[in-house]
Amino acid sequence: MPGARTHGDGAILPVEPAPDGVMGVRGGVGGISFQFEELLAGANALDGVVRELDATVTEIDAVRRELFLTELRTFTSGGPALAAINDGAQGAGQVRDAIRATGEQVRASYREYEYTEALNAITLRAGLLHPPLLEMGVRLGQGGLAGTQLGDRDRAEQLVAQLPLMVGSLLGAAVPGSLLGTLTGVLAGQTDVRAILRAMVELPGMAHLKPRPVTVQKVSTTEEPIDTSLPGLVRRAEPLHSGGEGEIAVIKVPQDEGGGTKSAWVVVIPGTQKGAPPGGSNPIDEGGIVDALAYDSAYLTPAIRKALREAGAEAGENVVAVGHSQGGVHAMNLAANKAFLAEFDLKYVFTAGSPVGGIKPEPGISSLHLEHSQDWVPGCDGAPNADTKDRVTVTLNNPVRTVEGEDPGLGPGHKLKNYAEGAELVAASSEPSLTASTAALAGALGAGGAAVAGSNAPRMTVTRFKLTRESMPTPAPAERVRPRAPENRSEAGWR
């Protein structure tokens, strides 16, 4: 554990990770959650020491009583021995009590941490922590654009988190002073973005956004110098986003282990590409967002598995998944897909500007999530990323702006260029959680994936695949109902 601090009352508490330049770091080996895990494990170990000291004190007390009775029977001078035994029993008892108090303080600190986290979640949903709707309304009314100010990422997350409050407020609007809105926000729990999107695609005229099966076609295979560092990998998404339509890349990282040939693999998935129209043949268009957030990439994940196989990946080989924006959600969904994990050994996921707070990966998979304070996209699922040993979230807090004449897109904070620059800061950092995460990436890629930039980078096989969403099923023609001839005069209108 990187360290711990002692409270004024002697309680041992975790150390909040300090900002690393413009980066805020959450989770990993330096995160609060893992520090508490270590402290609680230590407290459990101390319980065993306390039990042993209890037994020791009991044995000392038994010896003291026996010695006292012996002295009474023999009238010998056992006073000094009794005093020494009493001192020993008292000392052992004091050590035991101090160790027990330390364990209790650690557990009390953890209960306080859990309580604070739960209270923050409730007050956020009740609209008592932040007024994101008001803030966003004022900014937009003043001509501001989402994604141009520091804090927009958190405002978006809070806005989505407070949807139950807003709905409740509308329901209670007819009752002056009604607390219905606040109570709804508190009791409804976390906003279910998944359910909202699933309901949306069932509305009339929205069926084209509902996920459909995806086919895979190999486009090209080339040998290229590959920089497998974090910035090098995230930059691989740019040509896919700008030059392809529904294309992903699979990179083969060769290894040589004990004379046998084994490979590691990198899958790169770009961000959302504008559909023509949305919900058309490109599975990474706006309709792909629904597949990613509401259906766990149900149709894209099998396509990625097939692409890996066609590129030459064998069952059980290491895989690293990298994605920007929507692509990061698809990449993270691989970490929770049992069929994918049964075939391949997914070791590491790297996302940039992706809303992945609602995805729970299987244990043992490392992930790094790069976000920007000005980027509202990572907050649009209304859920923060979990703080665990294997999951690190880096928030970039440097102000960025759109270059004059450049398409603002979803805001400058969401630009892949800015995330690549942030990845360079991560790679150069000595912060404990970040060094452990980059080491996990290096371990997943092995010796063949040594991060070297420029023309000196090792040459690797890059295979590009085009993913195509199947066409909408043609609705069956409605059966023409022919009028039935009247059977008698009465049915024909005769009287």
Side-chain angles (χ1 to χ4, degrees):
M1 187 172 65
R5 60 184 174 89
T6 304
H7 194 264
D9 59 4
I12 300 175
L13 301 173
V15 177
E16 185 77 28
D20 187 358
V22 299
M23 296 186 295
V25 183
R26 183 172 182 269
V29 297
I32 295 292
S33 179
F34 181 63
Q35 290 184 61
F36 262 123
E37 287 181 21
E38 295 286 276
L39 286 172
L40 290 171
N44 291 334
L46 290 178
D47 287 343
V49 176
V50 168
R51 288 191 293 271
E52 291 179 3
L53 286 173
D54 270 334
T56 300
V57 170
T58 301
E59 291 177 5
I60 292 175
D61 190 58
V63 172
R64 181 183 61 79
R65 288 196 302 269
E66 183 63 30
L67 185 60
F68 180 73
L69 293 174
T70 300
E71 183 184 3
L72 289 177
R73 288 194 298 268
T74 61
F75 299 101
T76 58
S77 179
L82 280 172
I85 291 175
N86 284 332
D87 289 343
Q90 185 177 7
Q94 290 173 344
V95 172
R96 174 201 59 196
D97 294 341
I99 293 175
R100 178 183 288 125
T102 299
E104 291 173 351
Q105 288 167 348
V106 169
R107 293 188 177 91
S109 298
Y110 181 66
R111 287 194 297 271
E112 182 179 352
Y113 166 74
E114 285 192 316
Y115 170 78
T116 302
E117 290 290 294
L119 181 62
N120 285 341
I122 291 174
T123 51
L124 171 62
R125 294 197 298 270
L128 301 178
L129 277 184
H130 304 280
L133 183 61
L134 177 61
E135 289 183 19
M136 293 291 274
V138 170
R139 287 191 48 235
L140 294 175
Q142 294 174 344
L145 296 173
T148 59
Q149 299 292 323
L150 293 175
D152 279 356
R153 180 245 175 265
D154 290 341
R155 291 186 189 97
E157 182 176 286
Q158 294 152 12
L159 186 64
V160 175
Q162 290 178 24
L163 285 177
L165 167 67
M166 298 171 198
V167 173
S169 297
L170 292 173
L171 293 174
V175 184
S178 173
L179 293 178
L180 180 59
T182 299
L183 290 175
T184 301
V186 170
L187 300 176
Q190 181 176 309
T191 301
D192 193 344
V193 173
R194 176 190 179 96
I196 293 172
L197 290 175
R198 284 187 171 228
M200 181 191 74
V201 298
E202 296 297 334
L203 295 174
M206 302 295 285
H208 61 288
L209 296 178
K210 195 170 185 178
R212 304 190 296 276
V214 175
T215 60
V216 180
Q217 180 182 4
K218 185 184 294 186
V219 174
S220 64
T221 300
T222 57
E223 295 289 327
E224 305 175 26
I226 300 295
D227 175 9
T228 57
S229 66
L230 288 171
L233 290 177
V234 76
R235 285 190 174 103
R236 301 294 307 185
E238 178 56 38
L240 294 171
H241 183 270
S242 59
E245 183 177 323
E247 291 188 11
I248 64 172
V250 177
I251 303 171
K252 180 180 181 181
V253 184
Q255 307 292 319
D256 187 6
E257 298 183 359
T261 301
K262 188 176 180 180
S263 299
W265 302 84
V266 180
V267 178
V268 183
I269 312 169
T272 304
Q273 299 166 330
K274 291 183 180 180
S281 62
N282 183 358
I284 314 178
D285 66 0
E286 296 88 343
I289 299 172
V290 179
D291 185 21
L293 290 177
Y295 291 85
D296 308 321
S297 305
Y299 290 103
L300 209 73
T301 295
I304 293 172
R305 289 174 62 192
K306 184 176 181 181
L308 278 165
R309 291 189 215 106
E310 291 194 9
E314 297 182 1
E317 291 188 321
N318 289 0
V319 173
V320 170
V322 179
H324 172 235
S325 192
Q326 179 192 150
V329 187
H330 291 301
M332 197 62 186
N333 277 332
L334 299 178
N337 187 283
K338 295 187 182 300
F340 185 89
L341 299 177
E343 183 171 3
F344 300 108
D345 191 0
L346 183 65
K347 292 289 190 181
Y348 195 92
V349 179
F350 177 33
T351 70
S354 305
V356 293
I359 302 173
K360 185 178 180 180
E362 289 294 310
I365 300 173
S366 297
S367 61
L368 177 71
H369 310 298
L370 197 54
E371 302 179 350
H372 198 288
S373 180
Q374 283 182 218
D375 186 6
W376 59 270
V377 174
C380 69
D381 60 350
N385 300 331
D387 174 353
T388 67
K389 175 188 175 184
D390 295 322
R391 197 166 185 178
V392 183
T393 301
V394 178
T395 303
L396 302 170
N397 295 300
N398 57 310
V400 291
R401 62 179 183 176
T402 303
V403 177
E404 188 174 351
E406 191 177 273
D407 180 7
L410 298 178
H414 194 63
K415 296 285 186 181
L416 188 61
K417 173 179 177 293
N418 292 322
Y419 277 122
E421 293 172 355
E424 289 178 351
L425 297 177
V426 173
S429 174
S430 58
E431 199 279 338
S433 292
L434 299 186
T435 55
S437 185
T438 52
L441 172 62
L445 296 177
V452 180
S455 58
N456 294 325
R459 299 186 69 82
M460 301 179 189
T461 303
V462 181
T463 308
R464 290 177 64 154
F465 293 89
K466 181 177 177 60
L467 309 184
T468 304
R469 183 189 289 129
E470 290 187 0
S471 301
M472 286 276 292
T474 304
E479 292 186 10
R480 186 176 178 182
V481 180
R482 296 182 178 180
R484 181 175 61 88
E487 295 182 359
N488 50 52
R489 293 181 179 182
S490 177
E491 287 189 0
W494 288 61
R495 293 186 180 275

